[in-house]
Amino acid sequence: MRETTLAGTKVPGRTSAECPDGVTLKAGAISQCVATYEGAEIPYEVKISDSYTKGSTITSHTTEAQKGVLVAKFVYNALYESYGAGSGRTDASKLACDEIPSRRRSN
């Protein structure tokens, strides 16, 4: 979950992850977990593979974020890549925006 969160923000940051009630090791079970990015909480569902069998040494699972985090630095970097001095665009001088909060959780 921490790696997925960092991959989604595309900006290094402090992360953590926990599953308050643990992960239920049962075929098809879904557990609720929470990752954090710089203090912002991102709820996740962790689903154990339908083919799981008790005592398996390898547990296949999927994780799905229920919300995301948009990081200002990512937005600024994307805008610079598309419209910055090296972009070759002639309309780049028309681009302007107010300061974006450092992070924002999406619904």
Side-chain angles (χ1 to χ4, degrees):
M1 289 181 293
R2 294 173 62 195
E3 288 178 11
T4 301
T5 300
L6 283 173
T9 63
K10 297 181 178 28
V11 177
R14 191 173 23 106
T15 63
S16 67
E18 70 173 332
C19 302
D21 298 325
V23 175
T24 302
L25 291 178
K26 183 178 176 181
I30 297 175
S31 300
Q32 304 302 316
C33 301
V34 177
T36 64
Y37 173 84
E38 294 293 330
E41 293 186 352
I42 304 99
Y44 275 84
E45 285 187 352
V46 176
K47 182 180 186 239
I48 302 299
S49 169
D50 291 333
S51 63
Y52 173 80
T53 56
K54 187 175 181 178
S56 295
T57 56
I58 298 176
T59 305
S60 295
H61 67 283
T62 58
T63 58
E64 184 176 337
Q66 303 302 296
K67 295 185 179 197
V69 175
L70 180 61
V71 180
K73 187 173 182 178
F74 168 75
V75 174
Y76 293 137
N77 287 344
L79 289 173
Y80 185 77
E81 285 179 18
S82 296
Y83 296 96
S87 70
R89 294 192 60 136
T90 58
D91 59 349
S93 65
K94 297 177 184 177
L95 181 66
C97 67
D98 292 335
E99 185 176 347
I100 300 170
S102 60
R103 69 181 187 284
R104 180 134 183 119
R105 187 180 68 179
S106 66
N107 292 328

